[in-house]
Amino acid sequence: MSFDIPTSHPRYHSLLFREKIVEGLHNHVVAEAGLFAHGRGESLDYFLGEITQDFGRRAARAAAARLLLARHPVISVNGNAAALVPQELVALAKAVNAPLEVNLFYRAPGREEAIEAVLKAAGAGEVYGVGEAASAEIPEITHGRRRVDPRGILIADVVLVPLEDGDRTEALVAMGKDVLTIDLNPLSRTAKKAHVTVVDNIVRALPIITEQALQLKALPRAAWEEAGGWDNGKNLAQALRFYSHRLADLALEAEG
Amino acid sequence: MSFDIPTSHPRYHSLLFREKIVEGLHNHVVAEAGLFAHGRGESLDYFLGEITQDFGRRAARAAAARLLLARHPVISVNGNAAALVPQELVALAKAVNAPLEVNLFYRAPGREEAIEAVLKAAGAGEVYGVGEAASAEIPEITHGRRRVDPRGILIADVVLVPLEDGDRTEALVAMGKDVLTIDLNPLSRTAKKAHVTVVDNIVRALPIITEQALQLKALPRAAWEEAGGWDNGKNLAQALRFYSHRLADLALEAEG
């Protein structure tokens, strides 16, 4: 399928990212369920105004700080993330010196390898979690979904799991890991269980985390520790209030 | 794909309807874009509490009345509607004596016929808008999307277009038709341009429209006229305020 929407189209970016998901579906990078998840995100991003809000920017800075402070940071990659932001994942991995690990809800023959190929084409070095490398298991979730790489998520102290499923987030938290996520829904289980939730579109959030990491790297470690301090419940409530106020404003507009 | 989620699962209904969409994709009834649209609806339905609210029920009654009052009512059917609620579409068509017409955003070889087959299996009589029957064109929208059946939408005075695209809704309104829709997003162009917008999940809304039509049929025509009176802007603003208040409540809960 060719993408021939003019850049002047008011929904250009939205349609472009949707096209990347469809392309990912055809390349076995994205599962069918990924299209539903992307649609859910579209609704929420629309209510967010399709721009990064303050609560998202602050969470991105906290996440960047925690990745820098980590001894074994890992960035978990699923199909939608690989389809939407492969270069941005590689840039963040380099900025915080963290490996990328493929971690899928729906494992299927060839999918991990397809995602690895997308990441390598975007400049990634070794990619964890592919095939036999995902030989360890994390407890409390069903088989297939619990396989992780013993060099990566298994021993990580800090894990960034953008667009993650609630069961897996809970399992990682239960293992004592510091869990960072990017999720447009402040009410999702992942958003609520993670330690730092960036309520934003992954397409905008990842470059901001990278930019914040590069800024923080120029500062002393004490500044990282300060930036890493975080009250996630308070920030999620701010995000919810933002959505609520925006809908109230739109209701007023609708009434003229 | 087999659906083996237990009915006790808290997301049973949501997962069941998602499965119907995936099955529709595999049967050529649903387009890939239909999965994104369904995901957008999932987010919104979650905020609605996954139940029909008062503003939805009132709009369903107004829509039922207008279908009964119509001289040539038509029910437009797209891929997602056919995948999700084929029996419910047939039941409404019978209750208000309206034909079902296949009307697709993405026409592709075999898709109209696949949708016709789903509707016939659900008990439909003749289905309009399939193949050569869609020989008329409505103005102002691009080719392929503007084809309609000269026995159906072309001459209809009242059209129910659930889950419709904004361009087509505008074109139908511009032709002077009374346009009724079902749309979970009170901010969509379709929601705003239609004359009666049922802000609800199609899965719940269609049976309510049918039930209201059967109730109204037992009453004199004057009662239909009264029930058909409607201020759509006011009702959309109520829906928006509902979403806003619900998110505000959830924000308070999140803050403990």
Side-chain angles (χ1 to χ4, degrees):
Chain A
M1 199 181 292
S2 66
F3 187 70
D4 55 4
I5 305 282
T7 55
S8 60
H9 189 289
R11 305 296 310 150
Y12 173 77
H13 282 101
S14 175
L15 294 170
L16 173 66
F17 288 114
R18 189 185 282 193
E19 183 61 21
K20 289 186 183 203
I21 293 286
V22 168
E23 194 183 303
L25 179 71
H26 297 169
N27 296 340
H28 304 291
V29 165
V30 168
E32 284 164 347
L35 275 69
F36 295 118
H38 189 76
R40 287 200 303 278
E42 284 181 348
S43 278
L44 295 163
D45 201 25
Y46 181 79
F47 291 137
L48 203 60
E50 294 176 336
I51 54 173
T52 300
Q53 301 294 342
D54 280 351
F55 47 81
R57 193 169 293 276
R58 284 195 300 272
R61 185 170 175 85
R66 288 172 180 225
L67 286 167
L68 289 175
L69 287 164
R71 279 190 302 174
H72 294 292
V74 173
I75 300 169
S76 173
V77 179
N78 67 9
N80 280 28
L84 292 170
V85 284
Q87 280 91 1
E88 292 82 350
L89 287 165
V90 172
L92 177 59
K94 287 182 178 165
V96 301
N97 198 25
L100 296 168
E101 176 165 342
V102 178
N103 196 359
L104 303 179
F105 192 92
Y106 296 100
R107 288 196 180 259
R111 251 195 97 201
E112 292 149 52
E113 291 76 8
I115 291 172
E116 178 184 38
V118 164
L119 294 172
K120 293 228 171 195
E126 188 180 5
V127 174
Y128 285 8
V130 179
E132 293 306 307
S135 58
E137 296 191 345
I138 56 176
E140 294 178 46
I141 45 179
T142 54
H143 189 70
R145 291 165 56 195
R146 68 186 173 200
R147 287 169 52 204
V148 294
D149 195 313
R151 301 163 300 170
I153 290 175
L154 189 72
I155 58 158
D157 52 346
V158 179
V159 190
L160 173 63
V161 284
L163 318 178
E164 186 55 284
D165 153 70
D167 283 349
R168 276 214 301 238
T169 301
E170 283 190 6
L172 294 171
V173 169
M175 288 171 80
K177 299 186 190 302
D178 191 33
V179 178
L180 322 174
T181 192
I182 302 170
D183 195 325
L184 277 159
N185 181 4
L187 293 167
S188 76
R189 259 196 309 152
T190 288
K192 292 193 278 192
K193 292 286 177 180
H195 300 102
V196 178
T197 302
V198 183
V199 179
D200 198 10
N201 189 325
I202 188 175
V203 165
R204 294 186 303 269
L206 266 185
I208 296 174
I209 298 174
T210 303
E211 172 200 302
Q212 293 292 327
L214 294 173
Q215 282 181 16
L216 284 167
K217 275 167 89 171
L219 300 175
R221 190 177 172 93
W224 308 357
E225 280 164 5
E226 197 188 326
W230 191 247
D231 181 339
N232 208 42
K234 190 174 151 192
N235 196 63
L236 288 175
Q238 281 180 353
L240 280 168
R241 275 200 304 276
F242 176 89
Y243 280 114
S244 167
H245 289 162
R246 194 167 138 81
L247 288 166
D249 289 347
L250 292 164
L252 279 176
E253 259 181 59
E255 287 177 294
Chain B
M1 199 182 291
S2 66
F3 187 71
D4 55 5
I5 304 282
T7 54
S8 60
H9 190 288
R11 307 296 309 149
Y12 173 78
H13 282 101
S14 175
L15 294 170
L16 172 66
F17 288 115
R18 189 185 282 193
E19 184 62 23
K20 290 186 181 201
I21 292 286
V22 168
E23 193 182 303
L25 178 72
H26 296 170
N27 296 341
H28 304 291
V29 165
V30 167
E32 284 165 347
L35 275 68
F36 294 119
H38 189 77
R40 288 201 303 280
E42 285 182 346
S43 278
L44 295 163
D45 200 25
Y46 180 79
F47 291 137
L48 203 61
E50 294 176 335
I51 54 172
T52 300
Q53 302 293 340
D54 280 350
F55 47 83
R57 191 170 295 275
R58 284 194 302 271
R61 184 170 175 86
R66 288 173 179 224
L67 286 167
L68 289 176
L69 288 163
R71 277 190 303 173
H72 293 292
V74 172
I75 301 168
S76 173
V77 180
N78 67 10
N80 280 27
L84 291 171
V85 283
Q87 280 92 0
E88 292 82 351
L89 287 165
V90 171
L92 176 60
K94 290 183 176 164
V96 300
N97 197 23
L100 296 168
E101 175 166 342
V102 178
N103 195 359
L104 302 180
F105 192 93
Y106 297 101
R107 287 196 181 261
R111 251 196 98 201
E112 292 149 52
E113 291 76 8
I115 291 172
E116 179 185 36
V118 163
L119 294 173
K120 294 228 171 195
E126 189 179 5
V127 174
Y128 285 6
V130 179
E132 293 306 309
S135 58
E137 296 192 346
I138 56 175
E140 295 178 46
I141 45 178
T142 54
H143 190 70
R145 291 165 55 194
R146 68 187 171 201
R147 287 170 52 203
V148 294
D149 196 312
R151 302 165 297 170
I153 290 175
L154 189 72
I155 58 158
D157 53 345
V158 179
V159 190
L160 173 63
V161 286
L163 318 178
E164 185 55 284
D165 154 69
D167 283 349
R168 276 212 302 236
T169 301
E170 284 189 6
L172 294 171
V173 169
M175 288 171 79
K177 298 183 191 303
D178 191 34
V179 178
L180 322 174
T181 192
I182 302 169
D183 194 326
L184 277 159
N185 181 4
L187 293 166
S188 77
R189 260 195 309 151
T190 288
K192 291 194 279 193
K193 293 285 176 180
H195 300 104
V196 178
T197 303
V198 184
V199 179
D200 198 8
N201 189 327
I202 188 174
V203 166
R204 294 187 301 269
L206 267 185
I208 296 174
I209 298 175
T210 303
E211 171 199 303
Q212 294 291 326
L214 295 174
Q215 282 181 15
L216 285 167
K217 274 169 89 171
L219 301 176
R221 192 177 171 91
W224 308 357
E225 280 163 7
E226 196 189 325
W230 190 247
D231 181 339
N232 208 42
K234 189 175 151 192
N235 197 62
L236 288 175
Q238 281 180 353
L240 280 168
R241 274 199 305 276
F242 176 89
Y243 280 115
S244 168
H245 289 163
R246 191 165 139 85
L247 287 167
D249 288 347
L250 292 164
L252 278 176
E253 258 180 59
E255 288 178 296

